[in-house]
Amino acid sequence: MTSSELKKSPEAERLSSLFPFAVFLGLFLGTGIVLTLQGVDFAFYQLPASIAIIPAILVAIWLGKAPISEQIGQFIQGAGHQNIITMCMIYLLAGAFATVAKATGSVDASVQLGLSLFPDYLLLPGLFLVAAFISTAMGTSMGTIAAIAPIALGFIESANLDASIIAGVIISGAIFGDNLSIISDTTIASTRSQGAQMKDKFKVNFKFAIPAAIICLVIFASLGVSIPHEQINEVNVVGLIPYIVILVLALLGVNVFLVLIIGIALAAGVGMITQGYQLSTWVNDINTGFGNMQDLFILALFIGGLSELIKQQGGLAALTSKVEKLARKLSPNNKKRAAGLGIASLAFTCNFFTANNTVSIIVTGETAKNLANDSELSPAHSASILDIFACINQGLLPYGAQALLLGTTLKLSPIEVVSSAFYPMILLVVASIAFWRVTKK
């Protein structure tokens, strides 16, 4: 093809600058598939995303027409964007809080209290509520599953229960909080990328999540599964204080940095009072929490830099145009609805390839924001849609970390784990119908 022919198709040329994203997804997904076929545990997480993206960055620089020094400047500008740096700082604090809260017994206190409130015949919905509360308070589905799955395994072995149903209950509750929590990494990524306030996104998200959760509770209760368990007489109610304070402060609109710092201090204080938690241990746990967020921290920086390179080459603008045109074909007379369809499709599809809802939100955030701005869709709505549809997909992926961890702990195949994950399925329907009605002219 001659240079004159290339000039006739500038949009195709701009779209070709998206190729580095394909390199990233191809490496990440391809490695996972190959290792899965070889029987490797947690195959899709053997190649960290923060490493898989490095070749993609090199390809982007190779495709760029600007001098290398200028492109490196663009990369650093993207990595150092205010939203990216803010996101990274919040990740570190959220990691520290989750680690300290676990070490000081707040997670165990939540599980004990939740299970003590329900009779045997309502323990399935009770288990869902406990998982939902913990994941909302901790902001992590993986941490929730790690805390509850061993307890669930005891139920399964002692009462000869269908393990897939129990797995479905746990992953449903875990995804509820991962999507709704104000300190979840998906919430942080979606609100920062869309320029939305966390409390505003929470209010929009709440309208979608609660109806889905109620339907889910009814389904679990109607299954008629009775789980005999030992009632706990003494519950560490004090251990719930950090979670309750964090939820209240976040809903009141207190700055998330301050909320997390207070949570870290409160969790440590509770541990020092109730179990002799040492200052030196607290410092080490904070450092451990920071370390747990290392891959996500690095990935956010790299994604920010890569996105800026592709943006400068016109790729994101071309992608936005394509998605917008497709969405408008589905809803030609309603720009807001079309934008919502486009954002939902981007998040859902990207997560299918990355198997990481936070990564998919970071990757698609800039394009989603452009779609929302062009259609005057509010930042809170675009952030909520982005988060919801990434989490829906994550909860249904048999090669996602949540399904893999539950499958390993409960001795199930990942397919069996997601087969009873009713909440993501219901949320898909509820969110789609609710958004369709909200954007009705």
Side-chain angles (χ1 to χ4, degrees):
M1 184 178 288
T2 65
S3 59
S4 60
E5 289 175 319
L6 284 172
K7 292 179 182 177
K8 294 178 182 178
S9 55
E11 185 174 7
E13 187 176 0
R14 292 197 302 269
L15 281 173
S16 68
S17 67
L18 294 170
F19 180 67
F21 275 145
V23 172
F24 169 49
L25 298 180
L27 281 173
F28 191 70
L29 183 63
T31 301
I33 291 174
V34 171
L35 294 179
T36 297
L37 294 175
Q38 294 176 352
V40 177
D41 291 335
F42 294 93
F44 283 84
Y45 292 84
Q46 295 302 312
L47 175 64
S50 56
I51 301 300
I53 198 174
I54 294 176
I57 295 170
L58 297 177
V59 170
I61 293 175
W62 177 69
L63 289 174
K65 296 179 179 179
I68 291 180
S69 58
E70 183 178 336
Q71 291 191 69
I72 291 175
Q74 293 170 355
F75 177 84
I76 293 173
Q77 179 184 347
H81 190 281
Q82 180 181 352
N83 284 346
I84 298 294
I85 298 300
T86 302
M87 192 188 305
C88 289
M89 294 300 104
I90 295 173
Y91 285 155
L92 292 180
L93 291 175
F97 172 71
T99 302
V100 173
K102 174 66 177 175
T104 55
S106 289
V107 174
D108 294 336
S110 300
V111 174
Q112 291 172 3
L113 178 61
L115 296 180
S116 69
L117 295 176
F118 298 95
D120 293 354
Y121 60 89
L122 286 180
L123 212 62
L124 276 189
L127 199 58
F128 171 80
L129 290 174
V130 169
F133 173 79
I134 292 175
S135 58
T136 302
M138 288 181 67
T140 166
S141 55
M142 288 296 287
T144 300
I145 291 170
I148 297 180
I151 297 172
L153 181 61
F155 291 157
I156 293 167
E157 292 176 344
S158 62
N160 195 26
L161 301 171
D162 184 344
S164 66
I165 295 294
I166 303 298
V169 173
I170 295 173
I171 201 170
S172 291
I175 292 298
F176 172 91
D178 197 357
N179 168 229
L180 192 62
S181 174
I182 290 177
I183 62 171
S184 166
D185 49 7
T186 59
T187 295
I188 295 166
S190 61
T191 52
R192 298 307 305 181
S193 67
Q194 303 306 296
Q197 294 293 320
M198 288 192 179
K199 63 176 182 178
D200 294 334
K201 183 261 185 187
F202 180 87
K203 290 175 183 177
V204 173
N205 219 151
F206 190 83
K207 296 175 183 177
F208 301 150
I210 295 303
I214 292 172
I215 295 172
C216 205
L217 283 170
V218 172
I219 292 175
F220 288 138
S222 67
L223 291 177
V225 176
S226 181
I227 307 176
H229 68 290
E230 183 179 346
Q231 295 286 341
I232 300 172
N233 296 323
E234 295 185 8
V235 177
N236 179 21
V237 179
V238 178
L240 299 175
I241 292 176
Y243 288 152
I244 294 171
V245 170
I246 271 193
L247 291 174
V248 171
L249 291 178
L251 290 174
L252 290 175
V254 177
N255 183 278
V256 66
F257 286 100
L258 185 58
V259 169
L260 287 169
I261 291 170
I262 291 173
I264 293 169
L266 272 177
V270 167
M272 291 174 183
I273 293 172
T274 60
Q275 53 184 279
Y277 189 60
Q278 298 295 314
L279 181 61
S280 59
T281 306
W282 182 38
V283 172
N284 287 331
D285 285 340
I286 290 175
N287 189 52
T288 299
F290 286 170
N292 291 340
M293 291 292 178
Q294 175 180 303
D295 281 347
L296 195 55
F297 185 101
I298 295 172
L299 179 63
L301 294 177
F302 284 176
I303 286 284
L306 178 60
S307 296
E308 183 63 25
L309 287 174
I310 293 175
K311 178 183 177 181
Q312 294 292 338
Q313 295 169 17
L316 292 181
L319 177 62
T320 300
S321 176
K322 284 288 186 182
V323 172
E324 194 169 17
K325 288 176 182 177
L326 178 61
R328 284 182 177 174
K329 287 182 180 179
L330 298 174
S331 184
N333 301 317
N334 191 319
K335 292 179 65 177
K336 288 185 177 181
R337 184 177 290 171
L341 289 171
I343 293 169
S345 300
L346 279 171
F348 193 92
T349 303
C350 186
N351 196 79
F352 178 83
F353 290 107
T354 62
N356 187 309
N357 43 1
T358 306
V359 172
S360 64
I361 290 170
I362 295 173
V363 168
T364 58
E366 184 72 20
T367 301
K369 186 176 183 179
N370 291 337
L371 285 171
N373 289 341
D374 290 345
S375 64
E376 298 181 352
L377 185 68
S378 73
H381 274 92
S382 61
S384 183
I385 294 169
L386 199 58
D387 196 345
I388 284 173
F389 283 87
C391 286
I392 287 171
N393 188 268
Q394 186 69 22
L396 298 175
L397 284 181
Y399 52 85
Q402 291 80 358
L404 293 172
L405 178 58
L406 265 174
T408 301
T409 306
L410 302 185
K411 303 171 185 176
L412 292 171
S413 75
I415 297 292
E416 289 177 300
V417 172
V418 300
S419 65
S420 298
F422 296 134
Y423 178 75
M425 303 176 193
I426 296 167
L427 182 60
L428 174 62
V429 176
V430 170
S432 300
I433 294 174
F435 181 74
W436 197 269
R437 295 186 64 183
V438 166
T439 55
K440 183 178 181 181
K441 284 188 176 179

